[in-house]
Amino acid sequence: MLAGTKRATASSMWDCEHVGEAIPVPGELSIILDGRDTPRALIETMTVDVVPFDEVTADHARAEGEGDRTLAAWRDIHERFWRDHSEDPRGFDPQMPVVCETFRVLYSACRGGPVSLPRTPRQIAD
């Protein structure tokens, strides 16, 4: 993601509902942390669509940047993940609702050192 290959992500709507996680909305800002909880990027959500798993598009799969970036690889990777790690007892189903989010990277540690994040929401908006 920091290098620019990943421009999308997907979440199980069932998992979001089960843990009370809000669905992202266009315009929302998110800070991306690394494994040591160090800010590495600031992203802005561009689009959000909820579609059945078996209707996720090849364009979305390519934008996620995983595996060989094909829809077949995306389906395999995500089905295995949701079968093994879903937080909702329903786990995986080909018709399960998937939250497909696209984003753009506003600040990235790969673009010249550590991310310098604004301290207040107003500074983020400016």
Side-chain angles (χ1 to χ4, degrees):
M1 186 218 25
L2 296 179
T5 303
K6 183 173 182 70
R7 301 177 325 277
T9 192
S11 304
S12 162
M13 174 72 98
W14 291 344
D15 284 354
C16 293
E17 293 170 345
H18 185 74
V19 301
E21 182 178 317
I23 303 305
V25 295
E28 185 174 75
L29 301 177
S30 300
I31 297 171
I32 306 303
L33 307 176
D34 66 14
R36 294 172 300 209
D37 290 336
T38 301
R40 303 296 291 167
L42 176 66
I43 64 170
E44 178 184 10
T45 298
M46 302 303 291
T47 64
V48 178
D49 295 299
V50 179
V51 298
F53 176 87
D54 61 2
E55 293 180 25
V56 171
T57 66
D59 286 341
H60 184 83
R62 188 173 23 270
E64 278 208 36
E66 298 177 12
D68 65 5
R69 300 180 72 186
T70 64
L71 181 56
W74 183 93
R75 286 182 174 159
D76 180 59
I77 291 165
H78 287 77
E79 179 177 344
R80 277 188 285 124
F81 178 81
W82 285 319
R83 284 191 186 280
D84 295 342
H85 304 288
S86 182
E87 298 182 77
D88 183 88
R90 291 174 282 188
F92 171 81
D93 183 276
Q95 290 295 307
M96 67 186 276
V98 175
V99 181
C100 296
E101 173 186 3
T102 63
F103 56 83
R104 68 182 179 133
V105 178
L106 299 176
Y107 299 97
S108 169
C110 287
R111 296 183 189 154
V115 176
S116 176
L117 297 175
R119 294 187 180 268
T120 68
R122 178 153 171 74
Q123 288 173 305
I124 290 173
D126 288 345

